[in-house]
Amino acid sequence: MAQKAPDLMSTIVSLCKRRGFIFQSSEIYGGLNSCWDYGPLGVELKRNVKEAWWRSMVTNRRDIVGLDAAILMHPKVWEASGHLAGFTDPLVDCKSCKERFRADHLENLVKCPKCGGQLTEVRKFNLMFKTFMGPVDDQSSIVYMRPETAQGIFVNFLNVQQAARLKPPFGIAQIGKSFRNEITPGNFTYRTREFEQMEMEFFCMPDTDAQWYDYWRTARLDWYLHHGIRKDNLRLREHAPDELAHYAKACCDVEYLFPFGWSELEGIANRTDFDLKRHSESSGKSLAYFDEETKQRMFPYVIEPAAGADRATLAFLIDAYDVDKEDPQRVIMRFHPSLAPIKAAVLPLVKKEGMPEKAEKIYKDLLDNSVRAAFDVSSAIGRRYARQDEAGTPYCITVDGQTMTDDTVTVRDRDSREQYRIAAAACVEVITKKMKDARS
Ligand code: GAP
């Protein structure tokens, strides 16, 4: 990557718009600050990120189950979790230009960094979005848009444990939207007010917490590496004691080297028994686990790997970005095959001699077998390869003159540029196998 960091970010933003990965929300109305819409390629990429996470956290494991809790929860949940009192950022306003800043991001708390005007006193700003439930807009009908998915898991701990007959150590995983009224959103989709989280709460015996904390730190770092993030762009950063959240005994961040510097991708925290105890006290219903064998009640400890689907998607986009060494105008998105929005593109060499019909059959076969594929018949073959490289499609299947005589097609590999022939009838099998191999 020869580009300077800030340029790279604007290149990614414009590529995302041009190719349909990500658009500004409500763009025709001038856009809505910090809100983004995923286009045809982006929605596939983000779904693949979430599916890869779900596979590794739930589908492929015997000790973790899934949950999909409501976004709106009883307001007392947020009182007990500490979010009502403590989920705040220190805020200052400029009295002249009215710009808002996070006080902890400023070196000078007197002068506005933008216009030099005078700043207000620091005040606490709660990041939870409020809304009203039902027809009356009064204090008693206030509900909050969840700022994390985790609390839906904690309040359902016993429901899930009993329904699925689980015994610690076990985990409950959830993917869903969360909302935070961030004071300074920015850096494209990195910090937004509406985002998706991929969180898993792993319930273990209190004396095994350190061991599980280590296990999840390594497992989560490996997940990003396995899905193609370059080792040099990834690191684990342990939190200093004064950085720890009110509920955490230990915490570390998986950080990615974004063009704007090392920043958090995911947090892994040892939340102890804080949440289960707080909800038990607050609701008056014990969430303690009853061990049938020892006949004892106890509160498990919790290790929480908490990732952001949008942040992970952004990191995968940035890390995949590459340009052709011989032709720097040519962009190649080197997505891991499991994450690539389109797995294979079917390209008839020319629009005649039966090639489009033959290609159409292969294309249909791929779709019928749930392989996300594309079909492109317009312009020269080189241009079509370039378009697929820019979308990050790992394989192109070309139907050419030889296909019409021996029923074989050319497969072109995005990264090696290698080309080889396979039987047209084997396309589904070959691409499906490549996808399976990439996953393991
Ligand atoms: N349950 C713990 C928790 O929510 P967090 O570190 O505040 O921890 C977890 O959030 C992850 O959610 C972050 O590492 C990040 O990937 C994502 N995330 C948090 N705030 C975000 C925001 N404003 N925009 C995009 N992603 C966000």
Side-chain angles (χ1 to χ4, degrees), residues 72-75 129-133 141-145:
L72 301 176
M73 300 179 74
H74 197 292
F129 275 100
K130 275 184 208 165
T131 187
F132 299 98
M133 189 167 247
S141 60
I142 289 181
V143 288
Y144 300 92
M145 313 278 278

Side-chain angles (χ1 to χ4, degrees), residues 113-399:
K114 231 178 156 186
C115 74
Q118 205 190 350
L119 295 175
T120 59
E121 290 288 303
V122 177
R123 64 192 168 86
K124 280 186 172 179
F125 175 75
N126 195 296
L127 300 184
M128 283 197 293
F129 275 100
K130 275 184 208 165
T131 187
F132 299 98
M133 189 167 247
V136 188
D137 294 4
D138 66 9
Q139 199 65 22
S140 65
S141 60
I142 289 181
V143 288
Y144 300 92
M145 313 278 278
R146 67 179 175 203
E148 62 172 18
T149 56
Q151 298 304 323
I153 296 179
F154 294 126
V155 299
N156 275 299
F157 167 69
L158 273 194
N159 281 339
V160 175
Q161 182 268 318
Q162 288 167 359
R165 297 159 41 87
L166 298 162
K167 206 173 146 59
F170 71 88
I172 306 177
Q174 168 160 232
I175 298 179
K177 290 258 177 166
S178 292
F179 301 83
R180 296 182 190 178
N181 201 0
E182 300 280 1
I183 298 168
T184 48
N187 284 327
F188 198 25
T189 54
Y190 179 81
R191 180 170 285 106
T192 53
R193 295 189 171 117
E194 172 183 341
F195 53 95
E196 242 174 317
Q197 288 188 306
M198 310 185 287
E199 297 198 286
M200 194 276 291
E201 309 301 324
F202 195 79
F203 302 91
C204 61
M205 290 300 178
D207 57 348
T208 61
D209 61 332
Q211 164 199 329
W212 282 111
Y213 177 65
D214 281 349
Y215 170 88
W216 283 111
R217 292 164 89 233
T218 311
R220 293 304 306 146
L221 192 73
D222 286 350
W223 183 81
Y224 292 98
L225 293 172
H226 176 80
H227 290 94
I229 299 274
R230 278 165 261 208
K231 209 169 177 195
D232 291 350
N233 290 343
L234 213 54
R235 72 179 185 193
L236 272 176
R237 188 183 67 81
E238 205 66 41
H239 283 205
D242 64 349
E243 270 184 278
L244 292 177
H246 59 282
Y247 51 74
K249 177 174 157 188
C251 187
C252 66
D253 289 341
V254 178
E255 292 190 334
Y256 177 70
L257 185 54
F258 285 94
F260 43 86
W262 285 102
S263 304
E264 174 187 342
L265 258 188
E266 161 162 1
I268 297 138
N270 180 344
R271 293 183 77 124
T272 68
D273 53 7
F274 175 87
D275 303 271
L276 292 180
K277 278 193 171 155
R278 284 295 283 264
H279 287 302
S280 299
E281 282 156 21
S282 172
S283 66
K285 303 211 173 66
S286 174
L287 287 174
Y289 162 75
F290 180 70
D291 191 311
E292 293 289 349
E293 269 168 45
T294 60
K295 305 287 178 219
Q296 283 191 333
R297 282 189 189 282
M298 49 83 67
F299 287 98
Y301 265 38
V302 173
I303 308 300
E304 173 195 68
D310 306 271
R311 264 186 209 179
T313 302
L314 181 60
F316 286 121
L317 265 165
I318 294 169
D319 222 70
Y321 181 84
D322 199 4
V323 291
D324 190 337
K325 281 180 191 61
E326 278 132 44
D327 179 3
Q329 296 304 314
R330 234 176 120 150
V331 173
I332 306 161
M333 297 299 284
R334 299 196 191 278
F335 294 122
H336 185 275
S338 302
L339 304 184
I342 299 167
K343 309 301 183 194
V346 188
L347 316 172
L349 189 63
V350 288
K351 262 196 225 168
K352 53 187 180 187
E353 293 161 21
M355 291 183 211
E357 293 75 14
K358 184 79 197 165
E360 166 59 37
K361 193 178 168 309
I362 296 169
Y363 177 48
K364 182 175 182 305
D365 255 12
L366 289 165
L367 298 185
D368 288 349
N369 285 280
S370 304
V371 178
R372 189 80 194 130
F375 184 89
D376 190 358
V377 72
S378 60
S379 66
I381 192 73
R383 294 266 312 266
R384 281 183 273 164
Y385 283 149
R387 272 205 291 270
Q388 294 304 326
D389 283 349
E390 206 180 38
T393 307
Y395 306 105
C396 287
I397 297 167
T398 308
V399 171

Side-chain angles (χ1 to χ4, degrees), residues 405-419:
T405 57
D406 68 1
D407 223 11
T408 62
V409 292
T410 303
V411 177
R412 171 188 180 268
D413 183 294
R414 177 197 66 201
D415 295 333
S416 65
R417 298 266 174 98
E418 202 195 340
Q419 300 201 10

